[in-house]
Amino acid sequence: MTPYDWLFVFVGVAVVVLFTFSRLVRALLGLVELWMATLLSGLLYQALAFRLQALTGRNPVLGRGLIFDILLLVFLVAGYISTRIAFPVTKLPALGVLDNLLALLVGVVIAVLLLALLVNSLGVMTSERWSANPTGWGRLRAVFVTSRIRQWTAPMLRLYA
């Protein structure tokens, strides 16, 4: 496994733990937030990448991939904070322990979908050879090609699309 795979696993475990302790209603809201963040990022990243072309330089695919990831994470964090403010109490006392267990299952779905999006954006970033930094492109492309997580997340990404 590559170092990026371990980073993705760590992020996935953190997301699962976060939503497990946040309970079921907040986890379901997190699933809706992920969908909306993906939608907004998908709509805005190309226009923003075009406007930031002076900063990204001669590697447009790298810029588009990074901007998509940044927008996705910003929208996810903003959505989580806004739902936290809008719904301060989401505890379902009638479910008891099932509240956390069902949130764990939803958290796993959210983590897998988020990792699928991040791994796919890594593939997009390396889909074309970079003119400014060919050795960096080669290293990142090798990481993407040898990624073990990609084989698990690719079917989920197709399902999510």
Side-chain angles (χ1 to χ4, degrees), residues 68-137:
F68 177 82
D69 287 346
I70 290 169
L71 283 175
L72 181 70
L73 295 177
V74 164
F75 287 138
L76 279 175
V77 170
Y80 185 80
I81 290 171
S82 64
T83 56
R84 198 93 173 145
I85 292 170
F87 305 105
V89 178
T90 58
K91 188 175 184 179
L92 299 174
L95 289 178
V97 175
L98 282 177
D99 195 9
N100 292 78
L101 291 177
L102 292 172
L104 173 85
L105 294 175
V106 175
V108 167
V109 170
I110 292 170
V112 168
L113 291 175
L114 180 62
L115 293 183
L117 289 168
L118 293 175
V119 169
N120 187 55
S121 71
L122 183 64
V124 168
M125 284 186 248
T126 60
S127 64
E128 296 175 12
R129 187 175 295 273
W130 304 342
S131 58
N133 187 2
T135 57
W137 174 83

Side-chain angles (χ1 to χ4, degrees), residues 33-84:
E33 291 164 11
L34 178 65
W35 179 78
M36 291 194 59
T38 306
L39 175 73
L40 290 173
S41 299
L43 288 174
L44 298 175
Y45 83 98
Q46 287 183 336
L48 189 59
F50 177 75
R51 284 163 180 77
L52 293 175
Q53 212 167 8
L55 296 175
T56 58
R58 299 183 321 218
N59 301 323
V61 293
L62 175 63
R64 284 194 301 256
L66 286 175
I67 289 170
F68 177 82
D69 287 346
I70 290 169
L71 283 175
L72 181 70
L73 295 177
V74 164
F75 287 138
L76 279 175
V77 170
Y80 185 80
I81 290 171
S82 64
T83 56
R84 198 93 173 145

